[in-house]
Amino acid sequence: MNQIHLEVCNISKSFKGIHALKDVSLDFKPGEVHALLGENGAGKSTLCNILSGAITPDEGKIRINNQDYSFFTPTEAKEQGIGMIYQEFNLVPEMTVYENLFLGKEIRKKIVIDKREMIRQTKELFQRMNINIDPCAKINQLSVAYCQLVEIGKVLKEHVKFMIMDEPTAPLTNTEVRTLFRIVNELKEEGVTIIYISHRIEELFEISDRITVMRDGKKIQTLFTKETTKDELIRLMVGRTLETEFPPKEDKNISREVLLEVRDLSTSVVRHISFQLYKGEILGLGGLVGAGRSEVVRAVFGADKKKSGTIFVKGKEEFISSPKKAIDAGIGLIPEDRKNQGLHLKQSIRLNASLIKIKSLCRWKYTISKEKENELINDFIGKLSIRLAAVEDAAASLSGGNQQKIVLAKWLSTNADILFFDEPTRGIDVGAKKEIYELMDNLRRAGKGIIMISSEMTEIIGMCNRVLVLHEGNQQGVLEGDQICQENIMRLASGEVNEG
């Protein structure tokens, strides 16, 4: 077991003259979890995409069992036992779960596809993972968290020797994270090498054996997890120390002016939800995956159909039946699924950033003022520290974190007074997270009202002035001040009603 199974030697890769990787050499040992840590654009995903065959390196080689390769095709990577769970899902939305798992490798009885056997094996796989997903459900019917678990199952089915996980816990609840960690530990015992990318530093101390810190496409240092600290990792990662993670809460800044009031909101998922959002506050929506958090804001925003409910914006009743009407009413939504709902990935960064404001950027009726557009885009590139080669590049060319920043820029350009942030820091590194937290706090101080959804308990506790907790589509209670703690949130999220 001391033999090094996988190495990368002097790997370099550039995109349009920008170095994504610079002379990176790393070894990965059998039966270990080797974490890659770094800010967005540090080169972590690029390195893993090279290992999976999705990207060809400019220089360097990959070594497996002392055999050198200059590059892999995706098929060759799979033949070498390399499987990757991507940060962005690689599933066919219109197909069922079992069809996605067996896509291209269907089980047949002679020439007839054996659906029954594929469904049986899918159920067996999910039983091993200790999750309950219907094999016959279509992917577009599943939550983001369940899509992630299907991605994990798809790779597990291949009996890989090397598993690459790019932000695998980002959309998962604490319970689902525990399931994932159990699976990872079982794979370790079988000698599988796990390459693990995560911005959640706390979980690396629980799951990893070694951590390699990367910055600006370079390997900075590899450390044994038990011999380092969070402060040291942050310093190596960002090249500086960070102050307190969350801005201080100042409840005295919250007025009792109601920006948004929702009365008796019901959809096919949530029932009889009522709340108020005050000027200058961050209201958290807490609860487990499937509790209906995203469905509440999507219904208010007009993206999901309402069965009942009345919405008031600044005291005036608004009949919001579509996102356009929500935007006209001064509401913005940063969605949970940036890939499918937040961006046009094949379109330019320029178009994505200015799309919502395009009407106000016109000099004449149908002519966009490039001067105004450039001013808008450059302003947010600077404010949000967005890393890109050119604004004409496709949004898909950006890292996940920088894609999220483009989504933020798009909605902030509307200057909406009410903003819904659904998993705003998913897939974003610790340095950029702090920037997002400060941005949200500045918006709050400026008198905006924010509703925040996050699967990270520390974010909800650290950022929110009040927390409305849901359980299976029902409103369980509202916590504020000293009541906001993990124990109280989990108690309500598990179904106990807040009598206070």
Side-chain angles (χ1 to χ4, degrees):
M1 292 295 287
N2 291 326
Q3 181 188 7
I4 296 173
H5 277 191
L6 176 63
E7 294 178 80
V8 292
C9 308
N10 309 109
I11 293 286
S12 294
K13 180 66 181 179
S14 295
F15 297 98
K16 297 186 178 182
I18 295 179
H19 284 286
L21 292 173
K22 302 176 187 177
D23 195 33
V24 173
S25 296
L26 278 174
D27 65 86
F28 303 97
K29 297 179 180 179
E32 79 162 345
V33 176
H34 192 132
L36 300 181
L37 183 66
E39 292 189 274
N40 294 114
K44 311 179 300 294
S45 294
T46 300
L47 178 62
C48 291
N49 281 322
I50 287 172
L51 288 171
S52 70
I55 293 175
T56 301
D58 297 332
E59 299 175 16
K61 58 191 176 183
I62 304 165
R63 182 175 295 154
I64 296 181
N65 293 335
N66 296 318
Q67 176 76 38
D68 290 347
Y69 303 87
S70 56
F71 68 93
F72 288 139
T73 65
T75 300
E76 289 169 340
K78 287 181 181 179
E79 289 172 351
Q80 294 294 336
I82 298 174
M84 182 163 176
I85 299 165
Y86 290 91
Q87 185 176 348
E88 302 295 351
F89 303 140
N90 191 24
L91 301 168
V92 183
E94 295 78 17
M95 297 178 71
T96 65
V97 171
Y98 83 84
E99 286 171 333
N100 271 272
L101 259 61
F102 286 91
L103 187 60
K105 296 184 179 180
E106 292 82 0
I107 298 173
R108 296 177 181 270
K109 283 183 178 179
K110 296 182 180 180
I111 62 171
V112 179
I113 293 177
D114 191 345
K115 294 182 181 180
R116 182 174 295 180
E117 179 59 20
M118 289 191 291
I119 292 171
R120 187 193 68 78
Q121 289 191 23
T122 301
K123 286 181 178 178
E124 192 175 84
L125 174 65
F126 289 155
Q127 284 173 357
R128 175 191 168 191
M129 294 172 65
N130 195 28
I131 57 176
N132 184 24
I133 298 177
D134 181 1
C136 296
K138 289 190 176 181
I139 295 297
N140 57 20
Q141 297 173 333
L142 301 182
S143 68
V144 173
Y146 281 173
C147 287
Q148 180 71 299
L149 293 171
V150 172
E151 284 279 20
I152 293 167
K154 190 168 67 172
V155 175
L156 280 176
K157 189 178 72 67
E158 300 299 322
H159 304 291
V160 295
K161 299 174 186 174
F162 312 102
M163 180 178 282
I164 303 168
M165 296 182 165
D166 193 351
E167 296 289 349
T169 63
L172 305 183
T173 64
N174 290 339
T175 301
E176 291 157 344
V177 169
R178 301 258 56 88
T179 298
L180 175 67
F181 285 1
R182 177 180 55 77
I183 293 168
V184 167
N185 286 322
E186 288 174 0
L187 292 171
K188 279 180 62 176
E189 291 176 6
E190 296 169 9
V192 175
T193 301
I194 311 290
I195 301 172
Y196 193 94
I197 299 175
S198 178
H199 291 124
R200 297 179 176 179
I201 296 178
E202 292 82 0
E203 73 184 25
L204 299 187
F205 285 98
E206 181 174 355
I207 198 66
S208 71
D209 300 294
R210 289 191 296 162
I211 301 172
T212 292
V213 179
M214 300 180 69
R215 187 170 74 240
D216 297 328
K218 297 178 182 178
K219 170 190 168 182
I220 302 301
Q221 193 172 341
T222 299
L223 311 99
F224 285 100
T225 306
K226 62 184 179 183
E227 296 176 1
T228 188
T229 64
K230 180 178 179 179
D231 288 342
E232 181 181 25
L233 291 174
I234 291 173
R235 179 179 56 78
L236 291 170
M237 188 171 102
V238 303
R240 64 189 189 280
T241 57
L242 292 179
E243 303 302 324
T244 305
E245 187 174 6
F246 298 106
K249 292 185 185 180
E250 297 186 12
D251 293 343
K252 63 178 179 291
N253 287 349
I254 301 172
S255 72
R256 286 293 149 176
E257 181 182 339
V258 178
L259 291 182
L260 173 70
E261 183 174 3
V262 175
R263 297 180 186 171
D264 198 34
L265 175 70
S266 294
T267 71
S268 60
V269 177
V270 299
R271 294 166 292 279
H272 309 299
I273 306 299
S274 298
F275 62 87
Q276 293 179 326
L277 174 66
Y278 298 121
K279 180 178 180 179
E281 83 158 333
I282 299 177
L283 172 66
L285 291 188
L288 305 176
V289 167
R293 299 168 302 168
S294 296
E295 286 79 4
V296 168
V297 296
R298 284 178 57 83
V300 174
F301 192 68
D304 287 351
K305 187 175 181 181
K306 294 182 282 289
K307 288 185 175 180
S308 67
T310 310
I311 298 168
F312 296 87
V313 176
K314 298 180 181 178
K316 177 186 174 185
E317 185 174 357
E318 296 284 354
F319 300 91
I320 299 173
S321 57
S322 69
K324 183 182 183 304
K325 291 189 176 181
I327 295 168
D328 292 341
I331 302 173
L333 167 64
I334 293 89
E336 175 186 18
D337 186 352
R338 63 172 171 262
K339 181 177 179 181
N340 292 311
Q341 299 170 358
L343 292 168
H344 295 278
L345 289 173
K346 294 182 180 179
Q347 298 295 330
S348 69
I349 296 164
R350 174 191 295 278
L351 177 71
N352 275 280
S354 62
L355 187 60
I356 294 179
K357 290 282 288 182
I358 205 161
K359 188 175 180 180
S360 65
L361 296 174
C362 288
R363 183 183 288 112
W364 294 289
K365 191 170 183 180
Y366 300 113
T367 306
I368 295 172
S369 167
K370 291 296 182 185
E371 184 179 345
K372 288 182 180 179
E373 189 180 36
N374 287 334
E375 183 180 346
L376 174 74
I377 292 168
N378 290 332
D379 180 42
F380 280 107
I381 287 173
K383 282 181 179 178
L384 299 178
S385 302
I386 301 170
R387 295 187 54 160
L388 49 85
V391 293
E392 305 305 335
D393 290 345
S397 68
L398 297 174
S399 67
N402 283 304
Q403 287 180 9
Q404 183 74 322
K405 289 181 179 182
I406 293 296
V407 178
L408 287 169
K410 178 176 69 174
W411 285 105
L412 292 176
S413 71
T414 67
N415 199 31
D417 286 327
I418 300 164
L419 290 164
F420 303 153
F421 284 75
D422 195 349
E423 302 287 357
T425 66
R426 180 186 170 204
I428 291 181
D429 62 74
V430 65
K433 277 185 178 183
K434 184 172 175 59
E435 293 173 2
I436 299 298
Y437 299 149
E438 289 174 348
L439 170 68
M440 293 175 68
D441 190 59
N442 288 336
L443 291 168
R444 180 189 67 77
R445 289 171 181 270
K448 309 292 187 185
I450 294 173
I451 293 181
M452 180 182 188
I453 300 170
S454 176
S455 295
E456 293 193 38
M457 189 74 73
T458 53
E459 282 190 345
I460 291 291
I461 295 169
M463 289 297 297
C464 297
N465 305 102
R466 294 186 300 140
V467 180
L468 186 157
V469 186
L470 303 176
H471 169 71
E472 295 183 353
N474 296 307
Q475 182 171 334
Q476 297 300 111
V478 177
L479 303 171
E480 53 186 300
D482 294 338
Q483 295 176 327
I484 302 174
C485 64
Q486 183 165 343
E487 181 181 351
N488 287 341
I489 293 172
M490 287 306 299
R491 177 173 54 81
L492 293 175
S494 299
E496 187 174 329
V497 178
N498 183 16
E499 300 298 338

